[in-house]
């Protein structure tokens, strides 16, 4: 149809028609010179087909022509390029990015399945956590999490670092690491801080505060759920809630009393009674006696009684020696 229109224009003698025909002929000849193999390798044919199937065909803006160059995506698999092109055709740059993420996740899963099939050893998987290749690093972290091999703080830290700045993948590693293992390897404020620091997400050179906080709160929540409030208090006293990024996140330096208050004020009597490591510390009792105990500004005799109800007789006698009337 295009050529029929141009020829008709030429016959009518419209100004510039000969020039237009010359340019169109040149473009046709240029396309004819492209080897079929090279065209297929770019992933463009498959991507265009996907776009056509999904959206009944859509015109790709000229400004995005560079996206379909074999030079831009050199080293990528054809199916990945196809997915990106189809994603761009459907949703623009956001679709391109989303398709790339899905394609990468697929490659990680394939590599993890391959590792499992080949029976790659735990020591090799741990070594692969430091690989220069992102797919290899992530696949190893996924294998170790799924196989219960993240059984010490070093491996947990490395697995989170191997996830790079992919917050969804970091969450996946945390979720797939059994809670009982987390409890065993995060034993104090220092080990918690190593995990907190390994959870940092960056957007370019800058820390993505929202995503970083989200990941770190997931970890802190797991520690809290294991009745280890003492670890959180110890961490916050020595490192701040968000580790070395605490000041950057606008956290104000707090006193010991304020830190204890933050963690204990909303704690139920039942949960408080479970904090065995915390109940042995005089710092806790100094705070608690001055506040909740009879005579304190937040005196709550009923709360004290409820805590005592969930205690063993040994713990109750210990509390009495510390000054409680229970």
């Amino acid at each position: 149809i295009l050529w029929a229109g141009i020829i008709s224009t030429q016959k009518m003698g419209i100004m510039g028609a000969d020039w237009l025909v010359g340019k169109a002929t040149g473009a046709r000849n240029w396309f004819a010179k492209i080897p079929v193999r090279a065209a297929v390798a770019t992933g463009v044919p498959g991507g265009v087909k996907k776009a056509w199937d999904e959206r009944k065909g859509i015109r790709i803006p000229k400004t995005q022509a560079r996206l379909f160059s074999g030079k831009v995506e050199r080293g990528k698999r054809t199916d990945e390029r196809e997915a990106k092109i189809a994603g761009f055709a459907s949703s623009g740059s956001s679709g391109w990015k989303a398709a790339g993420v899905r394609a990468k996740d697929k490659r990680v899963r394939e590599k993890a399945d391959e590792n499992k099939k080949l029976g790659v050893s735990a020591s090799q998987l741990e070594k692969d956590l430091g690989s220069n290749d992102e797919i290899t690093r992530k696949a190893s972290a996924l294998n170790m999490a799924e196989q219960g091999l993240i059984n010490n703080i070093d491996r947990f830290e490395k697995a989170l670092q191997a996830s790079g700045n992919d917050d969804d993948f970091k969450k996946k590693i945390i979720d797939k690491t059994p809670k009982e293992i987390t409890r065993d390897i995060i034993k104090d404020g220092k080990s918690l801080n190593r995990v907190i620091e390994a959870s940092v997400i960056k957007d370019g050179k800058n820390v993505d505060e929202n995503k970083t906080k989200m990941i770190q709160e997931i970890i802190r929540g797991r520690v809290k759920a294991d009745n280890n409030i003492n670890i959180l208090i110890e961490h916050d006293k020595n490192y701040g809630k968000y580790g070395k990024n605490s000041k950057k996140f606008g956290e104000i330096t707090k006193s010991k009393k304020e830190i204890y208050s933050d963690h204990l004020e909303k704690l139920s009597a039942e949960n408080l009674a479970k904090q065995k490591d915390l109940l042995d510390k005089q710092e806790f009792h100094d705070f608690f006696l001055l506040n909740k105990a009879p005579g304190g500004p937040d005196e709550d005799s009923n709360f004290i009684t409820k805590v005592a109800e969930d205690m063993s007789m040994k713990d109750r006698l210990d509390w009495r020696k510390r000054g409680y009337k229970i």
Side-chain angles (χ1 to χ4, degrees), residues 210-224:
N210 292 329
K211 290 182 178 180
T212 296
K213 281 185 178 181
M214 178 180 64
I215 298 296
Q216 293 178 343
E217 288 302 327
I218 290 174
I219 295 170
R220 291 173 65 87
R222 181 167 286 193
V223 173
K224 184 176 181 179

Side-chain angles (χ1 to χ4, degrees), residues 94-304:
S94 62
W96 173 277
K97 184 176 180 180
V101 171
R102 289 193 298 272
K104 186 176 291 183
D105 287 345
K106 180 182 177 183
R107 291 171 63 194
V108 170
R109 182 71 265 176
E110 289 173 349
K111 177 64 175 176
D113 289 342
E114 180 185 339
N115 287 342
K116 188 175 180 180
K117 185 177 180 180
L118 295 174
V120 178
S121 67
S123 59
Q124 183 59 51
L125 289 173
E126 184 173 13
K127 183 178 179 181
D128 288 344
L129 289 176
S131 171
N132 291 326
D133 179 64
E134 181 183 2
I135 303 302
T136 299
R137 291 197 307 270
K138 286 186 172 181
S140 299
L142 189 58
N143 283 132
M144 296 186 77
E146 291 178 339
Q147 297 174 35
L149 297 174
I150 300 180
N151 50 17
N152 60 54
I153 194 64
D154 288 336
R155 288 182 174 180
F156 199 10
E157 181 182 35
K158 289 176 182 177
L160 290 175
Q161 290 172 338
S163 304
N165 296 315
D166 187 337
D167 56 313
D168 287 330
F169 197 81
K170 283 187 191 289
K171 285 191 289 185
K172 184 182 292 186
I173 295 301
I174 295 169
D175 289 341
K176 289 184 177 294
T177 301
K179 291 183 179 180
E180 58 271 19
I181 290 181
T182 307
R183 183 174 57 245
D184 290 340
I185 62 181
I186 300 180
K187 297 180 178 180
D188 49 35
K190 184 177 181 180
S191 55
L192 172 59
N193 194 61
R194 290 177 62 180
V195 179
I196 289 291
E197 295 296 344
S199 302
V200 172
I201 303 290
K202 289 187 176 181
D203 183 5
K205 293 183 179 180
N206 301 315
V207 174
D208 188 318
E209 296 186 9
N210 292 329
K211 290 182 178 180
T212 296
K213 281 185 178 181
M214 178 180 64
I215 298 296
Q216 293 178 343
E217 288 302 327
I218 290 174
I219 295 170
R220 291 173 65 87
R222 181 167 286 193
V223 173
K224 184 176 181 179
D226 286 335
N227 299 314
N228 282 319
I229 298 295
N230 179 54
I231 293 176
L232 295 177
I233 291 175
E234 181 186 337
H235 175 267
D236 294 358
K237 285 192 301 182
N238 296 323
Y239 304 97
K241 189 173 183 179
Y242 302 111
K244 65 183 180 183
N245 290 296
S246 288
K247 290 184 179 179
K248 186 172 184 178
F249 289 173
E251 186 186 9
I252 300 172
T253 303
K254 296 183 178 181
S255 65
K256 290 182 180 180
K257 182 177 180 179
E258 289 173 321
I259 292 172
Y260 272 103
S261 179
D262 286 346
H263 288 287
L264 302 177
E265 290 224 344
K266 296 181 180 179
L267 205 63
S268 69
E270 181 182 3
N271 285 333
L272 179 61
K274 294 177 181 178
Q275 307 299 322
K276 300 301 182 183
D277 291 338
L278 185 62
L279 301 184
D280 288 337
K281 292 189 176 294
Q282 188 58 43
E283 286 179 317
F284 161 76
H285 291 287
D286 289 342
F287 165 81
F288 208 71
L289 279 166
L290 289 172
N291 290 272
K292 295 285 189 181
D298 300 318
E299 180 179 338
D300 188 343
S301 56
N302 290 330
F303 189 84
I304 298 293

